[in-house]
Protein backbone atom coordinates (compact mmCIF):
# COMPACT_ATOMS: atom_id res chain seq x y z
CA UNK A 1 0.00 0.00 0.00
CA UNK A 2 1.54 3.29 -1.03
CA UNK A 3 1.40 6.44 1.05
CA UNK A 4 1.73 9.87 -0.43
CA UNK A 5 2.93 13.05 1.18
CA UNK A 6 2.01 16.51 -0.07
CA UNK A 7 4.56 19.31 -0.31
CA UNK A 8 2.97 22.74 -0.76
CA UNK A 9 4.38 26.22 -1.28
CA UNK A 10 2.49 29.52 -1.56
CA UNK A 11 4.32 32.29 -3.37
CA UNK A 12 3.40 35.90 -4.11
CA UNK A 13 4.31 38.16 -7.01
CA UNK A 14 3.92 41.80 -6.10
CA UNK A 15 5.64 44.64 -7.91
CA UNK A 16 8.33 44.01 -10.56
CA UNK A 17 9.69 40.44 -10.86
CA UNK A 18 10.18 39.55 -7.20
CA UNK A 19 8.36 36.37 -6.15
CA UNK A 20 8.42 35.75 -2.40
CA UNK A 21 7.57 32.74 -0.28
CA UNK A 22 7.72 32.02 3.41
CA UNK A 23 8.61 28.34 3.68
CA UNK A 24 8.83 27.29 7.28
CA UNK A 25 11.23 29.75 8.86
CA UNK A 26 12.81 30.64 5.54
CA UNK A 27 11.97 33.67 3.44
CA UNK A 28 12.88 32.94 -0.17
CA UNK A 29 13.01 35.35 -3.07
CA UNK A 30 13.09 34.74 -6.79
CA UNK A 31 13.97 37.62 -9.07
CA UNK A 32 15.51 38.49 -12.40
CA UNK A 33 18.87 40.17 -12.97
CA UNK A 34 18.92 43.95 -13.19
CA UNK A 35 19.87 43.60 -16.87
CA UNK A 36 16.55 41.79 -17.44
CA UNK A 37 14.51 44.47 -15.60
CA UNK A 38 14.63 42.68 -12.27
CA UNK A 39 16.13 43.97 -9.07
CA UNK A 40 18.66 41.17 -8.62
CA UNK A 41 17.35 40.29 -5.14
CA UNK A 42 17.47 36.55 -5.74
CA UNK A 43 18.20 33.77 -8.19
CA UNK A 44 15.95 33.24 -11.20
CA UNK A 45 13.36 30.42 -11.16
CA UNK A 46 15.57 28.41 -13.52
CA UNK A 47 18.58 28.80 -11.22
CA UNK A 48 16.45 27.70 -8.26
CA UNK A 49 15.36 24.67 -10.29
CA UNK A 50 18.98 23.68 -10.89
CA UNK A 51 19.80 24.32 -7.21
CA UNK A 52 16.79 22.26 -6.11
CA UNK A 53 17.97 19.38 -8.31
CA UNK A 54 21.47 19.56 -6.83
CA UNK A 55 20.02 19.83 -3.33
CA UNK A 56 17.80 16.81 -3.83
CA UNK A 57 20.70 14.71 -5.15
CA UNK A 58 22.88 15.77 -2.23
CA UNK A 59 20.16 15.02 0.31
CA UNK A 60 19.36 11.61 -1.18
CA UNK A 61 23.11 10.97 -1.37
CA UNK A 62 23.33 11.48 2.38
CA UNK A 63 20.34 9.16 2.98
CA UNK A 64 21.78 6.40 0.75
CA UNK A 65 25.21 6.73 2.41
CA UNK A 66 23.69 6.45 5.88
CA UNK A 67 21.62 3.42 4.86
CA UNK A 68 24.60 1.70 3.25
CA UNK A 69 27.00 2.77 6.01
CA UNK A 70 29.23 4.65 3.54
CA UNK A 71 31.42 7.36 5.03
CA UNK A 72 30.31 10.12 2.65
CA UNK A 73 32.49 13.09 3.53
CA UNK A 74 30.79 15.27 0.96
CA UNK A 75 29.59 15.76 -2.59
CA UNK A 76 29.92 18.55 -5.10
CA UNK A 77 27.05 18.51 -7.57
CA UNK A 78 27.01 20.48 -10.81
CA UNK A 79 23.67 20.85 -12.60
CA UNK A 80 23.27 22.71 -15.87
CA UNK A 81 20.54 22.87 -18.46
CA UNK A 82 20.04 24.27 -21.94
CA UNK A 83 16.88 26.06 -22.99
CA UNK A 84 15.75 28.46 -25.68
CA UNK A 85 14.40 31.64 -24.01
CA UNK A 86 12.28 32.52 -27.06
CA UNK A 87 9.29 30.52 -25.78
CA UNK A 88 9.11 32.18 -22.37
CA UNK A 89 9.40 35.56 -24.08
CA UNK A 90 6.40 34.73 -26.29
CA UNK A 91 8.47 34.58 -29.46
CA UNK A 92 7.98 31.91 -32.13
CA UNK A 93 10.19 28.87 -31.71
CA UNK A 94 10.22 25.23 -32.70
CA UNK A 95 11.86 24.36 -29.37
CA UNK A 96 9.88 23.51 -26.28
CA UNK A 97 9.86 26.13 -23.53
CA UNK A 98 11.66 24.03 -20.95
CA UNK A 99 15.14 22.64 -20.74
CA UNK A 100 16.25 20.67 -23.77
CA UNK A 101 18.78 18.76 -21.68
CA UNK A 102 19.87 18.77 -18.05
CA UNK A 103 23.33 17.53 -17.18
CA UNK A 104 24.30 16.42 -13.69
CA UNK A 105 27.87 15.77 -12.63
CA UNK A 106 28.91 14.79 -9.13
CA UNK A 107 32.19 14.55 -7.30
CA UNK A 108 31.82 12.08 -4.45
CA UNK A 109 34.21 12.26 -1.50
CA UNK A 110 34.04 8.73 -0.09
CA UNK A 111 36.31 5.70 0.10
CA UNK A 112 34.71 4.02 -2.92
CA UNK A 113 36.16 2.81 -6.19
CA UNK A 114 35.26 4.70 -9.36
CA UNK A 115 32.83 1.92 -10.28
CA UNK A 116 31.23 2.02 -6.81
CA UNK A 117 30.89 5.82 -7.04
CA UNK A 118 29.07 5.44 -10.38
CA UNK A 119 26.75 2.83 -8.86
CA UNK A 120 26.15 5.08 -5.84
CA UNK A 121 25.28 8.07 -8.07
CA UNK A 122 22.93 5.89 -10.16
CA UNK A 123 21.14 4.77 -6.98
CA UNK A 124 20.90 8.35 -5.72
CA UNK A 125 19.49 9.67 -8.99
CA UNK A 126 17.01 6.79 -9.20
CA UNK A 127 15.68 7.74 -5.73
CA UNK A 128 15.71 11.54 -6.19
CA UNK A 129 12.13 12.83 -6.67
CA UNK A 130 13.22 15.88 -8.69
CA UNK A 131 15.36 13.74 -10.98
CA UNK A 132 12.34 11.47 -11.43
CA UNK A 133 9.96 14.36 -12.14
CA UNK A 134 12.35 15.86 -14.67
CA UNK A 135 13.15 12.57 -16.40
CA UNK A 136 9.61 11.19 -16.55
CA UNK A 137 6.29 12.72 -17.49
CA UNK A 138 4.33 14.14 -14.57
CA UNK A 139 0.81 15.50 -14.75
CA UNK A 140 0.87 19.21 -13.98
CA UNK A 141 -2.55 20.78 -13.46
CA UNK A 142 -3.24 24.50 -13.29
CA UNK A 143 -6.40 26.52 -12.64
CA UNK A 144 -7.60 29.76 -11.13
CA UNK A 145 -7.99 30.12 -7.37
Amino acid sequence: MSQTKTVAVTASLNDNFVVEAQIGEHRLLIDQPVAARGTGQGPTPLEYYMFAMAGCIGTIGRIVAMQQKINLRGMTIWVEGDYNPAGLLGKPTDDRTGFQQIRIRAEIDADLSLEDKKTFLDQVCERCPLHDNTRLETDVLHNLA
Side-chain angles (χ1 to χ4, degrees):
M1 179 180 211
S2 69
Q3 295 179 340
T4 60
K5 181 178 178 179
T6 299
V7 176
V9 172
T10 301
S12 299
L13 170 71
N14 295 312
D15 58 347
N16 54 53
F17 285 101
V18 176
V19 177
E20 181 178 354
Q22 187 71 36
I23 303 172
E25 296 185 24
H26 308 284
R27 180 177 173 253
L28 301 176
L29 297 176
I30 289 176
D31 199 358
Q32 293 296 316
V34 173
R37 295 184 169 166
T39 58
Q41 294 183 58
T44 70
L46 301 180
E47 291 166 333
Y48 258 119
Y49 191 91
M50 297 290 112
F51 177 57
M53 178 75 80
C56 191
I57 289 169
T59 300
I60 300 300
R62 181 62 67 201
I63 292 169
V64 171
M66 289 169 60
Q67 290 174 338
Q68 296 181 8
K69 300 191 182 350
I70 295 169
N71 180 18
L72 177 63
R73 291 178 290 274
M75 292 176 70
T76 302
I77 303 123
W78 294 269
V79 182
E80 60 183 17
D82 305 319
Y83 78 105
N84 180 343
L88 68 87
L89 294 171
K91 297 178 181 175
T93 179
D94 291 333
D95 293 327
R96 53 185 278 216
T97 305
F99 291 106
Q100 308 300 311
Q101 183 181 66
I102 294 175
R103 293 173 299 282
I104 300 166
R105 189 167 47 97
E107 182 178 289
I108 299 167
D109 185 5
D111 296 325
L112 297 172
S113 69
L114 183 60
E115 175 117 357
D116 288 342
K117 286 180 181 181
K118 288 179 182 177
T119 299
F120 177 81
L121 183 59
D122 287 344
Q123 291 172 348
V124 167
C125 288
E126 184 65 30
R127 291 171 57 174
C128 171
L130 293 182
H131 191 286
D132 176 88
N133 281 116
T134 303
R135 188 174 51 84
L136 301 172
E137 183 177 339
T138 300
D139 289 334
V140 178
L141 311 173
H142 65 271
N143 53 61
L144 296 175

